[in-house]
Amino acid sequence: MRANWDSVVEKVLSYPNSDELGILFQLLLTEEERSAVAGRLKVFQLLLEGDLSQRQISADYQVSIATITRCSNYLKNMQPEQKQKIQHLLLD
């Protein structure tokens, strides 16, 4: 069986409320994976806000420098219009 990410996205979008979606994520992701996803989301938000250094983010939010560097590099390599869309999705 080959995993299809699009089918995962479609399933996530089909859930009518956050409680049911939370149940799905508990089924699909371990506690550690959910924590990692939440941490990565927070890192992207903080990097896009630009108020804290990578070291401050690491210290304040207990996220590894490696994760922060990966997120930072991903943002640096984005096309400007893609980065603007990400900012809108994560900061608004």
Side-chain angles (χ1 to χ4, degrees), residues 29-42:
L29 303 170
T30 66
E31 177 62 35
E32 185 175 306
E33 290 166 333
R34 291 190 305 271
S35 179
V37 169
R40 187 168 292 175
L41 177 62
K42 187 63 176 176

